[in-house]
Amino acid sequence: MHLELKNVSKTYGSHKAVADVSFGIERGKLIGLLGPSGGGKSTLLRILAGLETPDSGDIWINGQRVNDVAPQERGIGFVFQNYALFKHMNVFDNIAFGLTIRKAKKAEITERVNELLDLTGLRGFEKRYPHQLSGGQRQRVAFARALAPRPELLLLDEPFAAIDAKVRKELRTWLKQLIETIGITSIFVTHDQDEAVEVADEMLIVQQGRLEQQGSPLDVYTTP
Ligand code: ADP
Ligand code: ADP
């Protein structure tokens, strides 16, 4: 997947949440999207995902302009801070959700969910309900659910923010391995500089709606 944003802007009232942002992302990279709270990170992700319409600018995925493409047709998976699993569904059904709504065949769903249970280390937990899991396990279910329909781009909005520091560190290492294993292009939003440096191949720094820098973690932190 190749992603390209061109001159994307979004204003709420008189406030520019996203101001003329352009960038491109190469296939397979884990991009850290970093910046202060209120800088426009979530708005950018929502625009990419199609959950928010930009006032101007274009979004291109694999050479196709997707501004008018519905969220579920964009080949994008999301994981948010608050896992938002379906409380009344067990782990298996939560992971299967995106496949079930796409009316996938039962055998295909079972095979794919089993693959994801192995990939996320959740084998044996498929019958459990969200309240029977730890925070870290719930967030791994959220990753499995997002990955089930085989998205080409994964958007992660502070996925570990609600998890305590020790488990968060373990999850970062786990995530980096997972993403390397599947080779999916990903954007990881965080306001934690150390977390960004640890997980990201490349960084985007946004501030007051503007893209201030794009580069390797080293470039970004050694540039005055
Ligand atoms: P970040 O994710 O970097 O914290 P956001 O994208 O959430 O930043 O917000 C960027 C700016 O846009 C903030 O000033 C925020 O208050 C504003 N904003 C975001 N969403 C809305 C909305 N739906 N309505 C009005 N203002 C919004
Ligand atoms: P996809 O669109 O890739 O299939 P999901 O399977 O995560 O993504 O979600 C499908 C739809 O269901 C989306 O509109 C999403 O916002 C919504 N959804 C996902 N999880 C929840 C949830 N826990 N509560 C309410 N709505 C949800």
Side-chain angles (χ1 to χ4, degrees), residues 73-180:
E73 306 298 331
R74 291 190 185 191
I76 294 179
F78 326 97
V79 178
F80 298 116
Q81 175 174 342
N82 301 311
Y83 359 84
L85 299 177
F86 296 107
K87 291 187 179 66
H88 60 283
M89 284 186 199
N90 65 22
V91 168
F92 185 101
D93 292 336
N94 263 288
I95 297 175
F97 179 75
L99 303 171
T100 312
I101 59 168
R102 285 176 173 80
K103 305 204 166 25
K105 293 207 175 71
K106 218 171 164 177
E108 187 193 325
I109 293 178
T110 305
E111 193 189 330
R112 181 69 182 143
V113 172
N114 281 323
E115 229 174 271
L116 285 157
L117 286 167
D118 288 337
L119 200 60
T120 53
L122 289 165
R123 180 72 85 168
F125 291 89
E126 51 270 47
K127 293 265 164 57
R128 293 214 194 174
Y129 285 83
H131 73 273
Q132 298 170 312
L133 301 172
S134 70
Q137 288 167 340
R138 282 200 287 259
Q139 211 47 334
R140 282 188 279 142
V141 177
F143 274 89
R145 184 177 67 182
L147 291 169
R150 301 183 190 279
E152 287 196 70
L153 175 66
L154 190 58
L155 302 180
L156 310 171
D157 197 352
E158 308 222 25
F160 307 140
I163 290 167
D164 70 72
K166 185 169 167 285
V167 177
R168 192 158 67 221
K169 227 171 147 44
E170 291 166 11
L171 283 171
R172 281 180 206 164
T173 311
W174 170 81
L175 174 67
K176 208 152 163 64
Q177 277 169 3
L178 175 75
I179 286 179
E180 267 163 34

Side-chain angles (χ1 to χ4, degrees), residues 12 15 17 36-44 46 52:
Y12 294 111
H15 181 79
S37 180
K41 304 182 296 294
S42 297
T43 305
L44 262 177
R46 291 203 305 274
E52 190 82 76

Side-chain angles (χ1 to χ4, degrees), residues 173-194:
T173 311
W174 170 81
L175 174 67
K176 208 152 163 64
Q177 277 169 3
L178 175 75
I179 286 179
E180 267 163 34
T181 306
I182 41 186
I184 190 171
T185 310
S186 311
I187 302 180
F188 185 104
V189 167
T190 179
H191 58 258
D192 179 339
Q193 197 163 304
D194 296 337

